[in-house]
Amino acid sequence: VKRLSAACVAVGSELLGRTKLDRNSLEITAALAEYGIEVVEKVTVGDHPERLTDAVRRLVRAHDVVVLTGGLGPTADDLTRPAVAAALGVDLVRDAALVETIARRYRSFGREVPGIAPVMADVIPGAEVFANTVGAAPGLAVDHQGCLVVLLPGVPAEMRSMLHGELRQLLNRRFGAARPVGERTLLVGGVPESDIEERVAHLYERFPPGAVSILASAGLVRLVLRAGPEAGDPTSVLDAMSAAFRSVLGDDFVGEDLDGLEHAVIAEARTLGRTVASAESCTGGLVGAMLTAVPGASDIYLGGVISYANEVKRDVLGVPEDLLVTHGAVSEPVARAMANGVRGVLGADWGLGITGVAGPGGGTADKPVGTVCYAVAGADGTTIRKAVFPGDRDAIRRWSAHSALDLLRRRMSGLALP
Amino acid sequence: VKRLSAACVAVGSELLGRTKLDRNSLEITAALAEYGIEVVEKVTVGDHPERLTDAVRRLVRAHDVVVLTGGLGPTADDLTRPAVAAALGVDLVRDAALVETIARRYRSFGREVPGIAPVMADVIPGAEVFANTVGAAPGLAVDHQGCLVVLLPGVPAEMRSMLHGELRQLLNRRFGAARPVGERTLLVGGVPESDIEERVAHLYERFPPGAVSILASAGLVRLVLRAGPEAGDPTSVLDAMSAAFRSVLGDDFVGEDLDGLEHAVIAEARTLGRTVASAESCTGGLVGAMLTAVPGASDIYLGGVISYANEVKRDVLGVPEDLLVTHGAVSEPVARAMANGVRGVLGADWGLGITGVAGPGGGTADKPVGTVCYAVAGADGTTIRKAVFPGDRDAIRRWSAHSALDLLRRRMSGLALP
């Protein structure tokens, strides 16, 4: 099989500032790899017609596939359609039927059709048009001198739906069905990265360089395993690699190829037929937002109480006033009372309580910023943990949410507790 | 002052996979901007000598400054030095003194000097050598036909120390002391991007191309205003630009240089001495998580109830059973009762209620996926809105949170309601 090369082009001046990066190329890279197409170059250019035209002209000559994202909207700084047309040496043609399709999209949102909308119906002659089922701007795909040039929206949800919808269909027709790709991610919970690293270090030597990488983020570790096409059937190679790591990880192993710990918690609770409720102070709703990001979570997650103020802990969750006075809001007894309180008030099988000092203010010598108490209450008792998490407010909140969800996962499944 | 252009080149096959992005360019972009040097293009290439040489040859011709990161180590896949030398048409020369400096670095970590270490002392003739005070590989900076070519390590800590150390000193000598940079972001709430665009379109013409860009994300619009050093004092230029846009935006203008709508809500409530509580169904805690991400939110945000299950709406928030039966959980009367309920239960000045169909399941002909009802309850009455938001589950939830927070902002401040 000849290896095909591709380039990703992210368009938008906002991607050349001090904060925002092109992330669309990650998902595009993963999808193209399933067709044996390797992204070997990524380019980000601003809303600048000549630079964009130059880049496209160059990349179309050099690669088999060029995927652009962004700049397909109707506004003055959306330049991708005309810039690509210029690079290919063709003129855009307005597609009257597409003008009407776009207008219907706006009306389906209950919105007026803006006067500038029809510009999104300007197509490159011969291009296949991808319908936008999320937003308004259609995508385009056109062949030019042996290169497949694809234009996708920059809004991630719109890009994603087109990438996995009509673009995949086109790639299936063109390059055959997608083939399993040799990558698998093991999610590991409740242990610091350096511990994991030490425990799995001896396994690294068994596999080729670059075959294993470790990514850590606020209490969650991801081990990424890769099997190149040269290694034989990727599935069996990855099965063997995964088994080797799982035998070392034991109960710290959460699952394979999961979007997050919350997916494991919802799936496990569903298997067991159990319901969950949360009482959150320092995380302020983050655990609820994570759990309810999982489609279908409503069978499992009944809801929660964000007990940011002490009065809410007392009046809504029934945390006794004397616990708050004697031990303070950030304490193991209060975390326990929150978990039990929300379990009782909402009538859930499992209750989760989190209270802590997320900072930047509020730390004391006794309870510095990062101090978090969390508890999991079930029919057979309550487990409480206290930790001092590192990082800024955001990191401490994510550490708290991950640690509490991991404790819930272990309690639900009867696993070893950290 | 002539505006100088720059390109960033990130080198490394690991930056072309499915997980890892070049982030070094963000910090380099910010530092260069202080010298009036604008990064107008970013490129990521793998550990591939010809592709890297081609990219450098092209970028050196097109820009005043080219900064490469990565590929400076001693291993076989570190190709940046020879690839850049080839692009510039020169031969690398081994610097004997630098060989010794690098050996001392290894010894200072208590490590043996690897046999391959001296390759890091191969320098481009005429280059300034940047000492690596964190790791081992030195950086390089060389002038070539009017372009300053800079080679920095890819490890962020090493890159950073060189960027803010010897590279800044070089830039200070070359381009004068760093100057404040002219960028300001206007946050706009509660209106679709295309509406904003139409209203401000006539202002674009007043300012240079690229001076204004518009970013939209799930119900929030950001207008980014930029003033180059050539425009005079950036602060007064931006003040004038901002005033022009604000006069058009009216009450849709939320604030300048805010991290998000939640910061405006917390600040406004603090000014007015008011407290806030939330009752969330489809957003599942997202509004709470957003508000509590703001440091010091605890004075303002008392907490909330995540009433995902109907029983929680009824038993904790006091939503009457007959409203749930007659109108359904996703309805204007239920949103109203949730907002009023949480206001009463938590004793807050303002209550916020959100209920909707975030999908992917649960939609009906009557209430398709995206249907969301939200309400803001205060002492002087309750405002309710119903909308059908576009996008996937995540987008619908963010639209819901932004729209509800914007309605709260307007109610608190007595602004026009959308």
Side-chain angles (χ1 to χ4, degrees):
Chain A
V1 185
K2 180 180 169 270
R3 191 100 179 131
L4 299 173
S5 83
C8 289
V9 183
V11 185
S13 296
E14 74 279 10
L15 302 172
L16 291 170
R18 287 162 248 175
T19 47
K20 223 179 150 200
L21 289 168
D22 157 48
R23 300 191 61 86
N24 286 330
S25 59
L26 296 176
E27 203 155 337
I28 293 166
T29 297
L32 292 180
E34 295 180 29
Y35 299 89
I37 305 165
E38 186 185 11
V39 171
V40 298
E41 182 171 359
K42 295 198 215 184
V43 176
T44 302
V45 289
D47 304 315
H48 187 294
E50 291 82 33
R51 286 202 190 102
L52 180 51
T53 297
D54 285 352
V56 173
R57 194 178 286 134
R58 177 175 66 82
L59 295 168
V60 162
R61 276 199 294 260
H63 301 291
D64 303 295
V65 178
V66 173
V67 182
L68 297 101
T69 50
L72 293 186
T75 66
D77 58 358
D78 289 309
L79 304 161
T80 301
R81 269 181 306 267
V84 172
L88 307 185
V90 298
D91 290 317
L92 292 172
V93 177
R94 184 152 304 178
D95 178 331
L98 194 53
V99 171
E100 189 41 42
T101 304
I102 292 166
R104 276 199 304 271
R105 288 293 299 158
Y106 278 93
R107 291 190 208 106
S108 76
F109 307 146
R111 285 176 48 191
E112 298 235 340
V113 184
I116 52 176
V119 76
M120 293 186 284
D122 290 349
V123 302
I124 294 166
E128 180 172 340
V129 176
F130 295 155
N132 193 326
T133 57
V134 177
L140 294 173
V142 66
D143 286 297
H144 184 82
Q145 298 176 357
C147 178
L148 173 65
V149 185
V150 181
L151 286 68
L152 300 178
V155 176
E158 301 182 22
M159 181 283 301
R160 193 170 294 138
S161 99
M162 243 176 246
L163 170 67
H164 297 300
E166 294 186 75
L167 180 54
R168 265 190 190 275
Q169 289 168 29
L170 188 157
L171 295 172
N172 284 333
R173 289 196 307 272
R174 186 79 56 102
F175 302 106
R179 291 171 292 281
V181 167
E183 184 166 300
R184 199 173 296 176
T185 299
L186 309 189
L187 193 68
V188 187
V191 272
E193 177 187 14
S194 53
D195 288 15
I196 296 288
E197 179 88 29
E198 282 192 71
R199 281 159 56 197
V200 302
H202 68 282
L203 290 173
Y204 276 74
E205 296 156 26
R206 284 212 224 160
F207 306 109
V212 183
S213 55
I214 187 164
L215 307 169
S217 167
L220 266 196
V221 173
R222 285 182 170 82
L223 282 166
V224 184
L225 314 180
R226 291 185 197 86
E230 67 286 356
D233 170 42
T235 304
S236 54
V237 173
L238 290 170
D239 284 348
M241 290 178 80
S242 176
F245 281 93
R246 290 168 67 163
S247 73
V248 173
L249 294 170
D251 288 353
D252 299 335
F253 169 77
V254 177
E256 287 188 343
D257 292 333
L258 290 171
D259 281 338
L261 196 44
E262 58 275 22
H263 290 261
V265 167
I266 294 287
E268 185 65 14
R270 179 168 288 122
T271 302
L272 298 167
R274 294 287 180 266
T275 58
V276 173
S278 57
E280 303 183 63
S281 186
C282 65
T283 48
L286 189 57
V287 168
M290 287 167 69
L291 289 172
T292 59
V294 182
S298 55
D299 302 345
I300 305 303
Y301 179 69
L302 302 183
V305 174
I306 305 172
S307 55
Y308 218 53
N310 276 351
E311 293 69 27
V312 181
K313 294 185 183 71
R314 190 189 60 201
D315 301 342
V316 183
L317 291 173
V319 176
E321 176 77 29
D322 69 303
L323 284 188
L324 290 162
V325 172
T326 313
H327 302 280
V330 178
S331 63
E332 289 163 287
V334 168
R336 172 200 290 271
M338 287 169 63
N340 280 291
V342 81
R343 179 171 179 267
V345 172
L346 268 63
D349 297 310
W350 292 98
L352 214 151
I354 307 175
T355 176
V357 188
T364 62
D366 209 30
K367 293 173 185 172
V369 169
T371 304
V372 178
C373 299
Y374 53 101
V376 171
D380 56 346
T382 305
T383 308
I384 316 165
R385 291 290 179 270
K386 182 175 180 174
V388 182
F389 294 127
D392 62 8
R393 184 177 178 89
D394 178 56
I396 291 165
R397 283 155 48 94
R398 290 188 299 122
W399 267 100
S400 305
H402 286 147
S403 302
L405 285 172
D406 187 61
L407 188 61
L408 173 59
R409 172 185 78 84
R410 290 167 189 261
R411 278 292 308 274
M412 282 197 301
S413 305
L415 303 176
L417 302 181
Chain B
V1 184
K2 181 180 167 270
R3 190 101 180 133
L4 299 173
S5 83
C8 289
V9 183
V11 184
S13 296
E14 76 279 10
L15 302 173
L16 291 170
R18 286 161 248 176
T19 47
K20 222 177 153 203
L21 288 169
D22 157 48
R23 299 191 62 85
N24 287 330
S25 59
L26 295 177
E27 202 154 340
I28 293 166
T29 297
L32 293 180
E34 295 180 28
Y35 298 90
I37 304 165
E38 186 185 11
V39 171
V40 298
E41 183 172 358
K42 295 198 216 183
V43 176
T44 302
V45 289
D47 304 314
H48 187 293
E50 291 81 33
R51 285 203 191 101
L52 180 51
T53 296
D54 285 351
V56 173
R57 193 177 288 132
R58 177 176 65 82
L59 294 168
V60 162
R61 275 200 293 261
H63 301 291
D64 303 295
V65 178
V66 173
V67 182
L68 297 101
T69 49
L72 293 186
T75 66
D77 58 359
D78 288 309
L79 305 160
T80 301
R81 268 181 306 267
V84 172
L88 307 185
V90 300
D91 290 318
L92 292 172
V93 177
R94 185 151 303 179
D95 178 329
L98 194 52
V99 171
E100 189 41 43
T101 305
I102 292 166
R104 276 199 305 273
R105 288 293 298 158
Y106 277 95
R107 292 190 207 106
S108 76
F109 307 144
R111 284 177 51 191
E112 298 234 341
V113 184
I116 51 175
V119 76
M120 293 186 285
D122 290 350
V123 301
I124 294 165
E128 180 173 340
V129 176
F130 295 155
N132 193 328
T133 57
V134 178
L140 295 172
V142 67
D143 286 297
H144 183 83
Q145 298 178 355
C147 178
L148 174 65
V149 185
V150 180
L151 286 67
L152 301 178
V155 176
E158 301 182 23
M159 180 286 298
R160 195 169 293 137
S161 98
M162 242 175 246
L163 171 67
H164 296 301
E166 294 185 77
L167 179 55
R168 264 188 192 276
Q169 288 168 28
L170 186 158
L171 295 172
N172 284 332
R173 289 196 306 274
R174 187 78 57 101
F175 302 105
R179 293 172 295 278
V181 168
E183 185 166 296
R184 198 173 298 176
T185 299
L186 309 189
L187 192 68
V188 187
V191 271
E193 176 189 15
S194 53
D195 288 14
I196 296 288
E197 175 79 22
E198 284 193 72
R199 280 158 57 198
V200 302
H202 67 283
L203 290 172
Y204 276 74
E205 296 156 25
R206 284 211 224 161
F207 306 109
V212 182
S213 55
I214 187 163
L215 307 171
S217 168
L220 266 195
V221 173
R222 286 182 169 83
L223 282 165
V224 184
L225 314 180
R226 295 186 194 88
E230 69 285 355
D233 170 42
T235 305
S236 53
V237 172
L238 290 171
D239 284 347
M241 290 177 79
S242 175
F245 280 93
R246 290 167 67 163
S247 73
V248 172
L249 295 169
D251 289 352
D252 299 334
F253 169 77
V254 177
E256 286 189 343
D257 291 334
L258 291 171
D259 282 338
L261 196 45
E262 58 274 24
H263 290 261
V265 167
I266 295 288
E268 184 66 13
R270 179 168 288 121
T271 302
L272 297 167
R274 294 287 180 265
T275 58
V276 173
S278 57
E280 303 183 63
S281 186
C282 64
T283 48
L286 189 58
V287 167
M290 287 168 70
L291 289 171
T292 59
V294 181
S298 55
D299 303 345
I300 304 303
Y301 179 68
L302 303 183
V305 174
I306 305 173
S307 55
Y308 218 54
N310 276 351
E311 293 69 27
V312 181
K313 294 184 184 73
R314 189 189 61 202
D315 300 343
V316 183
L317 292 173
V319 176
E321 176 78 28
D322 69 305
L323 283 189
L324 291 162
V325 172
T326 312
H327 301 280
V330 178
S331 62
E332 290 164 286
V334 169
R336 171 201 290 270
M338 288 170 62
N340 280 291
V342 80
R343 180 172 178 265
V345 172
L346 269 64
D349 297 310
W350 292 98
L352 212 150
I354 307 175
T355 177
V357 188
T364 62
D366 209 30
K367 293 173 185 172
V369 168
T371 304
V372 179
C373 299
Y374 52 102
V376 171
D380 56 347
T382 305
T383 308
I384 317 165
R385 292 289 179 271
K386 181 175 182 174
V388 182
F389 293 128
D392 61 8
R393 185 176 177 90
D394 177 56
I396 291 165
R397 283 155 48 95
R398 290 187 299 121
W399 267 99
S400 305
H402 287 147
S403 302
L405 286 171
D406 187 62
L407 188 61
L408 172 59
R409 172 186 78 86
R410 291 167 190 260
R411 277 293 309 273
M412 283 198 300
S413 305
L415 303 176
L417 303 180

